[in-house]
């Protein structure tokens, strides 16, 4: 049990990578708090799956781009689960769009959710961990797109680079409190975020052709790396980033 009797909290936990990580945390012995933009009814299946592991599950519907959501989430976590040990900033959007005519509102929404939302949440989680005085672990879901570009992602890739950098600076700021901060960098993972994009079979196959392991990722491929970075097994790892991309990034030819 890598997370035995710990409290694990994650944003965007009702689906995709967040859901997979939340379920693995429960399997590894953690009580789990989830926030997401969807209704509690929509999140019920993952909450029930967590409880089926014999662990407590709490949910807060909210928009991470609103600073008060972070405060509310930490409040629910401490009230219902008694504290916080592992926090994962996962919520993110990627509304694919060309660069030259990208509407300002698309840019501000993407930055608001992916970068500002991550900042608000990580800051609130860190303050709670400092108050507790027993250290903790913070993981941010960045992306391979922190390291490389996308013609239809000019509004998105800077936010993922920012999240990666936020973990590096948070690691420096929080090491004195025993709080570790790391990021995972998923490659192309089949989730709702890219369902439309990957419905283009030609693009999907071209992406697979770049991946040495020969397949696109699935959310469960991120669950183990996230739980590991949150566990005592990663006790001397902070400021690090872990590519989870099937080898895509290193494959030039
Ligand atoms: C990732 C990467 C993937 C894309 C998703 C939406 O960072 O760019 O290729 O499918 O974002």
């Amino acid at each position: 049990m890598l997370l035995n009797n710990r409290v694990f909290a994650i944003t965007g936990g009702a689906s995709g990578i967040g859901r997979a990580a939340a379920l693995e945390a429960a399997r590894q012995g953690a009580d789990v708090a989830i926030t997401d933009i969807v209704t509690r009814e929509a999140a019920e299946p993952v909450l029930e799956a967590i409880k089926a592991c014999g662990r407590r599950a709490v949910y807060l519907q909210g928009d991470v781009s609103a600073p008060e959501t972070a405060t509310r989430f930490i409040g629910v976590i401490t009230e219902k689960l008694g504290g916080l040990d592992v926090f994962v900033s996962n919520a993110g959007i990627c509304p694919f769009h060309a660069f030259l005519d990208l509407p300002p509102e698309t840019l501000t929404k993407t930055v608001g959710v992916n970068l500002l939302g991550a900042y608000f949440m990580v800051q609130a989680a860190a303050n709670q961990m400092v108050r507790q005085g027993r250290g903790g672990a913070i993981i941010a879901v960045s992306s391979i797109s922190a390291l490389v570009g996308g013609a239809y992602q000019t509004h998105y890739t800077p936010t993922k680079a920012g999240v990666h950098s936020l973990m590096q600076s948070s690691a420096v700021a929080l090491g004195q409190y025993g709080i570790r901060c790391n990021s995972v960098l998923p490659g192309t993972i089949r989730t709702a975020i890219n369902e439309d994009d990957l419905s283009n079979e030609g693009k999907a196959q071209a992406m697979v052709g770049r991946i040495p392991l020969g397949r696109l990722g699935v959310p469960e491929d991120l669950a183990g790396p996230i739980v590991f970075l949150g566990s005592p097994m990663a006790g001397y790892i902070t400021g690090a980033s872990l590519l989870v991309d099937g080898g895509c990034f290193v494959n030039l030819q």
Side-chain angles (χ1 to χ4, degrees), residues 116-127:
L116 301 185
Y119 193 101
F120 299 143
M121 283 287 177
V122 167
Q123 185 186 45
N127 274 304

Side-chain angles (χ1 to χ4, degrees), residues 11-77:
T11 67
S15 64
I17 290 170
R19 181 183 187 278
L23 291 178
E24 187 56 36
R27 292 186 197 105
Q28 294 293 333
D31 293 324
V32 180
I34 291 171
T35 186
D36 206 311
I37 196 79
V38 300
T39 64
R40 182 191 175 86
E41 181 184 9
E44 203 60 43
V46 65
L47 301 174
E48 288 308 310
I50 292 164
K51 293 172 186 174
C53 294
R55 306 308 309 185
R56 293 179 293 174
V58 298
Y59 184 74
L60 173 75
Q61 181 181 8
D63 179 350
V64 296
S65 65
E68 61 271 16
T69 303
T71 307
R72 289 170 57 213
F73 192 35
I74 296 303
V76 166
I77 293 165

Side-chain angles (χ1 to χ4, degrees), residues 11-192:
T11 67
S15 64
I17 290 170
R19 181 183 187 278
L23 291 178
E24 187 56 36
R27 292 186 197 105
Q28 294 293 333
D31 293 324
V32 180
I34 291 171
T35 186
D36 206 311
I37 196 79
V38 300
T39 64
R40 182 191 175 86
E41 181 184 9
E44 203 60 43
V46 65
L47 301 174
E48 288 308 310
I50 292 164
K51 293 172 186 174
C53 294
R55 306 308 309 185
R56 293 179 293 174
V58 298
Y59 184 74
L60 173 75
Q61 181 181 8
D63 179 350
V64 296
S65 65
E68 61 271 16
T69 303
T71 307
R72 289 170 57 213
F73 192 35
I74 296 303
V76 166
I77 293 165
T78 52
E79 178 191 347
K80 302 289 188 184
L81 301 179
L84 177 61
D85 300 296
V86 181
F87 189 90
V88 183
S89 175
N90 163 70
I93 61 174
C94 182
F96 286 83
H97 198 292
F99 175 48
L100 294 177
D101 59 348
L102 186 102
E105 58 271 21
T106 302
L107 174 61
T108 53
K109 181 167 178 59
T110 303
V111 171
V113 172
N114 294 5
L115 184 56
L116 301 185
Y119 193 101
F120 299 143
M121 283 287 177
V122 167
Q123 185 186 45
N127 274 304
Q128 174 57 31
M129 290 174 179
V130 169
R131 284 191 291 268
Q132 292 171 173
R134 62 173 189 262
I138 297 174
I139 300 105
V141 179
S142 175
S143 167
I144 189 173
S145 295
L147 309 175
V148 289
Y152 290 85
Q153 297 177 303
T154 57
H155 51 306
Y156 167 82
T157 61
T159 69
K160 289 304 184 178
V163 166
H164 168 58
S165 180
L166 172 61
M167 286 299 97
Q168 293 175 319
S169 292
S170 299
V172 178
L174 299 173
Q176 61 185 299
Y177 304 106
I179 300 169
R180 300 181 296 104
C181 300
N182 296 288
S183 58
V184 291
L185 279 59
T188 302
I189 312 297
R190 283 194 178 277
T191 65

